[in-house]
């Protein structure tokens, strides 16, 4: 069974309009930062676009028709898939791991990014240079972020795996696909003293310093499939067997057919557990699978 999702958009201080200009998505404004395409998170749920479950939220589908998901054991749907358009820099931030997030009733937030587009000379921030917690705290107190963070250039096609606890900031000019654990907990270190509606957005220094990994590891460019599987696939014409918990697809290039369904760039869909589907492309898509 093939199920298409209707995404939820998030307008943000740092968002832009590329989700419309490059993906043809119907965005609410020219400050659209995020498109939550596959989400059962209460802060923004995708819904089933059509068919027998049309209008259902993903959480309702997951909770009441678990056979479609191969009877996956997680009580709540475990992942969240987004497109992100950073017209400006995102805050320098960190996310809690499973142990820290559990107290708040959430999964932790390990995430990974596949860079779809990066303007010339676009930066990425992943990790930091502090050798001890004392040194880290001193640099934060001194607002010495440029010396603290690990900054480098990023290019389309790059992949990064960001374990919970990794300091990071997506920078202006980046369009990316993010797959993460289903969580919406962010601790901000620094937001460039920007104003949103006349006010600075809140920082969470204490929690951020508590959650950050010190010393840091070098940025990871290999996927660790502990929380989810993630592949970029190019296919023209093939039958494919879905994973035991189903396949979640995000079409990132091209158009064609999946079984009898017309698909195009910007579509988010789910193929139920263990079914076989036929691709008639050319299509380039992300294939995301659940882990238990
Ligand atoms: Zn993040």
């Amino acid at each position: 069974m093939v199920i298409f999702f209707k995404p939820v958009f998030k307008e943000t201080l740092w968002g832009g309009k590329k989700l419309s200009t490059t993906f043809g998505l119907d965005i609410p404004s020219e400050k659209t930062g995020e498109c939550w395409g596959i989400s059962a998170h209460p802060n923004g749920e995708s819904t089933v676009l059509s068919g027998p479950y049309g209008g259902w939220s993903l959480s309702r589908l997951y909770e009441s028709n678990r056979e479609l998901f191969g009877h996956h054991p997680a009580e709540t749907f475990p992942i969240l898939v987004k497109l992100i358009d950073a017209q400006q820099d995102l805050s320098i931030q960190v996310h809690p791991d499973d142990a820290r997030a559990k107290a708040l009733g959430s999964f932790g937030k390990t995430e990974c990014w596949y860079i779809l587009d990066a303007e010339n000379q676009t930066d990425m921030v992943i990790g930091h240079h502090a050798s001890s917690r004392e040194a880290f705290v001193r640099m934060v107190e001194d607002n010495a972020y440029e010396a603290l963070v690990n900054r480098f250039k990023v290019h389309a096609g790059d992949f990064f795996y960001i374990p919970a606890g990794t300091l990071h900031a997506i920078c202006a000019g980046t369009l990316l696909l993010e797959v993460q654990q289903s969580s919406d907990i962010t601790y901000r270190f620094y937001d460039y003293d920007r104003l949103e509606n006349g006010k600075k957005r809140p920082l969470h220094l204490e929690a951020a310093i508590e959650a950050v990994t010190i010393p840091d590891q070098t940025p990871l460019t290999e996927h660790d499939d502990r929380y989810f599987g993630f592949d970029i696939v190019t296919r023209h014409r093939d039958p494919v067997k879905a994973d035991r918990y189903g396949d979640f697809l995000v079409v990132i290039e091209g158009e064609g057919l999946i079984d009898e369904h017309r698909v195009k760039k910007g579509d988010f869909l789910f193929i139920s557990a263990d079914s076989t589907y036929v691709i008639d492309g050319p299509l380039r898509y992300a294939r995301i699978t659940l882990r238990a």
Side-chain angles (χ1 to χ4, degrees):
M1 178 170 211
V2 179
I3 291 173
F4 287 74
F5 293 113
K6 180 178 187 309
V8 174
F9 295 97
K10 300 280 180 180
E11 295 176 74
T12 60
L13 175 65
W14 45 262
K17 57 180 180 184
K18 278 190 194 156
L19 296 176
S20 164
T21 55
T22 62
F23 277 95
L25 294 165
D26 191 14
I27 60 174
S29 82
E30 298 199 346
K31 284 237 165 242
T32 302
E34 303 191 3
C35 168
W36 294 20
I38 299 166
S39 166
H41 195 283
N43 293 358
E45 280 217 53
S46 27
T47 46
V48 177
L49 207 49
S50 57
Y53 304 109
W56 284 34
S57 65
L58 175 53
S59 63
R60 180 180 171 197
L61 186 68
Y62 182 76
E63 277 152 32
S64 60
N65 292 67
R66 194 68 61 88
E67 71 286 353
L68 298 173
F69 303 86
H71 300 281
H72 192 278
E75 212 169 295
T76 52
F77 185 73
I79 64 164
L80 207 171
V81 179
K82 300 175 179 175
L83 294 168
I84 293 183
D85 170 18
Q87 188 60 37
Q88 294 178 33
D89 294 344
L90 274 69
S91 64
I92 297 176
Q93 57 183 252
V94 67
H95 306 295
D97 60 14
D98 282 336
R100 287 187 174 83
K102 201 172 174 194
L104 305 167
S106 172
F107 292 106
K109 192 178 174 198
T110 284
E111 54 196 35
C112 73
W113 302 328
Y114 178 72
I115 309 300
L116 297 165
D117 188 32
E119 289 168 14
N120 259 343
Q121 302 295 311
T122 296
D123 284 349
M124 178 63 81
V125 167
I126 301 177
H128 62 81
H129 302 300
S131 51
S132 67
R133 203 156 288 270
E134 294 68 39
F136 189 97
V137 170
R138 209 175 319 117
M139 289 166 102
V140 167
E141 285 172 351
D142 293 348
N143 247 349
Y145 283 100
E146 274 320 302
L148 175 64
V149 304
N150 182 42
R151 180 184 288 278
F152 55 94
K153 298 290 173 206
V154 74
H155 304 97
D158 288 352
F159 174 85
F160 301 102
Y161 185 80
I162 318 285
T166 307
L167 177 148
H168 61 278
I170 296 169
C171 300
T174 312
L175 181 70
L176 61 81
L177 172 67
E178 174 175 278
V179 184
Q180 55 160 99
Q181 291 178 275
S182 184
S183 161
D184 197 22
I185 306 174
T186 295
Y187 300 136
R188 287 192 197 106
F189 283 107
Y190 182 57
D191 201 30
Y192 319 99
D193 298 316
R194 287 182 293 203
L195 302 180
E196 182 177 51
N197 304 322
K199 274 197 261 170
K200 287 187 190 176
R201 300 192 296 176
L203 302 179
H204 320 90
L205 278 183
E206 211 173 305
I209 289 169
E210 226 259 318
V212 75
T213 303
I214 301 171
D216 198 45
Q217 50 193 351
T218 49
L220 303 173
T221 55
E222 292 276 305
H223 184 60
D224 170 346
D225 67 355
R226 181 145 52 122
Y227 295 106
F228 43 81
F230 181 93
D231 290 292
I232 301 293
V233 183
T234 303
R235 276 188 209 284
H236 292 266
R237 203 183 169 82
D238 265 324
V240 184
K241 173 103 162 65
D243 181 72
R244 60 183 293 205
Y245 301 122
D247 281 5
F248 296 84
L249 308 187
V250 183
V251 180
I252 54 184
E253 208 59 73
E255 57 186 298
L257 293 171
I258 292 183
D259 292 344
E260 73 280 18
H261 307 276
R262 185 146 288 285
V263 296
K264 60 178 189 317
K265 186 174 178 174
D267 283 346
F268 296 90
L269 52 146
F270 170 60
I271 322 270
S272 57
D274 288 324
S275 42
T276 298
Y277 54 103
V278 178
I279 304 266
D280 191 355
L283 287 178
R284 197 158 72 91
Y285 57 91
R287 174 177 179 253
I288 300 139
T289 51
L290 303 183
R291 292 287 178 269

